[in-house]
Amino acid sequence: MTVSLEQLRRCHVAVDLGAARTRVYVKGAGLVVDQPSVAAVNTRTGALIAVGEFAEQMTGRTPSYIRVVRPVSGGTVVDIDMAQRMLRHLLGDKMRRALRRKPRLRAAACTPHEADPLAQRATIETLVGLGARRVELVDTLIAAAVGCGLPVERPEASMIMVCGAAATQVAVLSLGSIVTAERIPVGGEAVDRAIVQHLRHEHELLLPSQSVRPLQIALSDNGLTPQGPVTTEIHGRDVATGLARSVRVDTATMRDAIHTPLLAVLDGIGKVLRECPPDLVADLADRGIMMVGGTALLPGLDQMLRDATGVPVHIAERPDVCAVQGLGAMLEGQIAPLVLNPLAA
């Protein structure tokens, strides 16, 4: 069963519940929430202490009675009650009151490609608990393609690669539908683990979770200067002594370490292309692959894909918000009237 653009235009709010960040788009107001999908809870009283960026900063730095949780994992809601509480706090009292005034509140939400019925139901229950009378589910691949401006309604190939925190989704689209797609269980979290493991094995250093992202930014250098390899200083805890220690790491070596988990992504892209009709593959030779999602900004990933596939690779202007912006465009009626291939609620 499909959902039409006419049904999506009746929705008042669009939600992208991602493993890394939660984003909410309100019709007529635009993007109103863009915060990490994190909540901090007092285990003694059950009270919600913080959500979003403040809660994320508390990760690994709290006393024993405060627990930092992530109610969304792999694009799937794993704790419905906590996800509802997190969304209520992120929206704020003013926005919640505005939404409650809608006589029949309708919501749209992104779900990963080929999400199982339990995952779909969890997303629906989360939004119903916030007052939605009806929830329309849209495949993240289609929403992201619309959000980055790909001509998905035309009879020609558009290839999208959604680089998420827990998984990478690759698809070829034509005439508003998914022709062939693949979901690879490798994302930004796998890259983070590869960095942590490399530093532990090569330098006997335990890296704090808050230090992974700055290290990825340091990898944006090309790895070489006229004076030699580029190095950056990393602070962590010595594995043997437990004391604080700093080491200087070669960014070129680190880039090789993070490429290892990305080989599965290359295999997924190859499988999608092999299953795609030849006429559409020919279109991709000129059009190439569009990368969206927060992990799309990982240094060197786009060049790695160009070398492996031989086709152009582009990164969307704002890759992290493409999915929710695509849902917003459907709500506002800003795309051509066609029947998409989202999921049924």
Side-chain angles (χ1 to χ4, degrees), residues 35-292:
Q35 292 280 338
S37 304
V38 186
V41 183
N42 186 325
T43 57
R44 295 174 180 172
T45 64
L48 193 62
I49 297 175
V51 297
E53 291 181 356
F54 186 39
E56 188 175 50
Q57 293 172 6
M58 298 167 68
T59 303
R61 298 175 175 176
T62 61
S64 59
Y65 65 91
I66 296 179
R67 187 164 58 98
V68 178
V69 298
R70 292 182 176 271
V72 184
S73 177
T76 301
V77 178
V78 294
D79 188 336
I80 295 175
D81 178 65
M82 187 56 64
Q84 291 175 350
R85 295 173 67 185
M86 180 185 71
L87 275 173
R88 289 192 192 101
H89 280 74
L90 290 176
L91 285 171
D93 294 336
K94 183 178 179 181
M95 185 57 66
R96 289 206 312 273
R97 285 196 298 268
L99 292 176
R100 278 200 297 265
R101 286 196 290 267
K102 305 292 183 183
R104 288 184 59 85
L105 181 64
R106 289 171 172 253
C110 292
T111 54
H113 180 65
E114 292 185 344
D116 60 75
L118 287 177
Q120 297 179 35
R121 180 53 56 184
T123 302
I124 293 172
E125 292 296 331
T126 300
L127 298 183
V128 168
L130 294 176
R133 302 292 296 273
R134 181 175 175 82
V135 180
E136 309 288 357
L137 299 183
V138 181
D139 196 301
T140 300
L141 290 164
I142 291 181
V146 172
C148 66
L150 289 179
V152 295
E153 74 279 3
R154 297 181 185 173
E156 54 191 41
S158 297
M159 191 167 187
I160 183 91
M161 178 175 168
V162 180
C163 307
T168 300
Q169 303 173 69
V170 185
V172 174
L173 301 94
S174 180
L175 289 173
S177 296
I178 295 174
V179 178
T180 179
E182 186 72 15
R183 187 168 183 262
I184 307 115
V186 174
E189 294 173 354
V191 173
D192 294 348
R193 288 193 297 270
I195 291 175
V196 171
Q197 290 174 3
H198 174 80
L199 289 173
R200 179 171 184 137
H201 294 155
E202 298 297 326
H203 300 279
E204 297 185 348
L205 191 75
L206 289 177
L207 186 67
S209 59
Q210 303 288 339
S211 302
V212 175
R213 295 302 176 190
L215 179 55
Q216 290 185 6
I217 295 174
L219 297 179
S220 59
D221 295 321
N222 60 13
L224 292 174
T225 65
Q227 292 76 29
V230 174
T231 61
T232 185
E233 189 174 19
I234 299 299
H235 306 282
R237 188 179 73 183
D238 188 277
V239 172
T241 65
L243 301 177
R245 184 163 66 89
S246 300
V247 298
R248 296 200 68 85
V249 297
D250 182 352
T251 57
T253 304
M254 290 299 304
R255 190 176 293 108
D256 292 339
I258 66 176
H259 277 188
T260 302
L262 298 177
L263 294 177
V265 176
L266 296 178
D267 292 339
I269 293 175
K271 183 177 179 180
V272 169
L273 292 175
R274 287 192 298 271
E275 295 177 353
C276 189
D279 291 344
L280 294 180
V281 175
D283 293 341
L284 297 174
D286 296 326
R287 193 177 299 276
I289 304 171
M290 178 64 74
M291 296 174 58
V292 303

